[in-house]
Amino acid sequence: MTVTLQSVVQEYERALIFRLGRLKTGGIRGPGIYFRIPCIETFHKVDLRTVSFDVPVQQVLTKDSVTISVDAVVYYHVQDPLSAILKVHDYRESTRLLAATNLRTALSSRRLSAILEERGQISQAVQTALDAPTDPWGVLVERIEIKDIRLPSTLQRAMAAEAEASREARAHLIAAQGEADASRALREASDTMSGNPAAMQLRYLQTLSAITNDKSSTIVFPIPIDLMRSLQIGHSV
C-alpha cells in the first residue's frame, strides 16, 4: 500500500516536484491539488506575488568622508519559479544580500549633497545594478526606495548653522540691493524736480497734505522754497 500526501497550490503559487532528486516530468505545477509519495518525492512551492523586505541599516562612508546610516526597502517578485529553485540556493536571502551590497556601493561613490538631493536617481541606479545578477535567478526587482538617511548629530548642527548663515547673507544682499535701488530712484526724482520748479511746488503741497492727515501730531509748516529764494535774491540786491 502506497501512502501519498496531498498538497494544495494556490492561484498565486507554483510548485516543483522532485522524485529522488530529479525534477518530475511536467516541470512547474499549479494551481491545484497534487499528491506526492513521502520520502521519495519532495515538494517546493514558490510565491509569485510581489514581496518586500527591509534592507538592514547600512553604515556608509560617502565620497567626501562623511559617515551616514541608510535603510531602504526592496520590492520584487519571482517571474521564473524553475530558475528560482534550480539556479540559486535561497533566492530570498541572495536578493537581500545583493541589494545591501549594491546600495552601499552606490552611496559610497557619491558626495553627501548628491545623496540628499538624488534619492530617486540612486534608487534607480541600485535597481538597474540588481537586474543583471537576479535575472538568471528568475527574480525581477520592481523598485527600491530609500526610506531614511541619518546623519551624525554634529553634522546636523553644522549644516543648520551653515544654512542660517547663508540665509542671513542673502537677506543682507537683498537689503543692500533695495537701498541701492531706492537711492538711484531718489537721485532721478531730485534731478527731475530740480529742473522744474512747478514739480517742486507740487511735491511740497503733497507733503503738507500727507502731514495734515495725522491729527495727533504737532505740525510745523516749513517756509516755501520760492519765498526763501526771493528773500535771498532781495538780500543780494
Side-chain angles (χ1 to χ4, degrees), residues 4-219:
T4 59
L5 297 179
Q6 174 182 315
S7 297
V8 178
V9 179
Q10 304 293 339
E11 182 69 32
Y12 52 83
E13 294 176 330
R14 295 297 181 268
L16 281 80
I17 302 176
F18 293 85
R19 176 174 293 175
L20 298 177
R22 184 182 296 274
L23 181 64
K24 193 173 179 180
T25 305
I28 302 173
R29 311 297 180 93
I33 299 177
Y34 296 91
F35 299 91
R36 59 188 175 89
I37 304 173
C39 302
I40 296 178
E41 295 180 342
T42 56
F43 197 82
H44 296 271
K45 286 195 295 186
V46 179
D47 196 328
L48 302 182
R49 294 175 295 180
T50 297
V51 181
S52 64
F53 64 85
D54 290 325
V55 178
V57 177
Q58 303 294 311
Q59 298 289 336
V60 180
L61 183 65
T62 64
K63 190 175 181 180
D64 47 355
S65 301
V66 178
T67 302
I68 59 176
S69 300
V70 181
D71 57 352
V73 59
V74 177
Y75 299 87
Y76 74 95
H77 72 269
V78 176
Q79 60 181 356
D80 185 0
L82 189 62
S83 298
I85 297 299
L86 296 181
K87 294 186 178 181
V88 61
H89 177 263
D90 188 342
Y91 67 88
R92 300 181 187 86
E93 185 65 19
S94 299
T95 303
R96 181 179 291 106
L97 294 176
L98 192 60
T101 302
N102 281 274
L103 180 63
R104 286 197 303 269
T105 302
L107 294 175
S108 61
S109 62
R110 287 174 169 81
R111 297 184 179 275
L112 177 61
S113 58
I115 293 174
L116 296 176
E117 296 173 0
E118 302 174 358
R119 289 194 183 189
Q121 293 86 330
I122 295 173
S123 298
Q124 184 63 40
V126 176
Q127 179 180 348
T128 302
L130 284 174
D131 283 339
T134 58
D135 184 66
W137 302 342
V139 175
L140 176 64
V141 178
E142 297 178 359
R143 61 186 302 174
I144 298 174
E145 296 292 340
I146 297 177
K147 295 196 300 183
D148 190 21
I149 299 175
R150 291 186 288 275
L151 307 177
S153 58
T154 54
L155 181 59
Q156 293 180 16
R157 290 193 294 268
M159 293 178 65
E162 180 182 359
E164 184 178 359
S166 178
R167 287 193 296 268
E168 291 180 356
R170 287 197 299 269
H172 289 315
L173 288 175
I174 294 172
Q177 185 64 37
E179 292 179 359
D181 294 341
S183 63
R184 283 194 293 268
L186 289 174
R187 184 182 63 185
E188 293 174 359
S190 63
D191 293 341
T192 302
M193 288 189 292
S194 62
N196 190 347
M200 185 67 72
Q201 286 293 337
L202 290 174
R203 180 59 181 164
Y204 171 73
L205 294 175
Q206 184 180 4
T207 303
L208 289 179
S209 176
I211 293 175
T212 55
N213 289 334
D214 189 3
K215 299 180 181 180
S216 62
S217 59
T218 302
I219 301 175

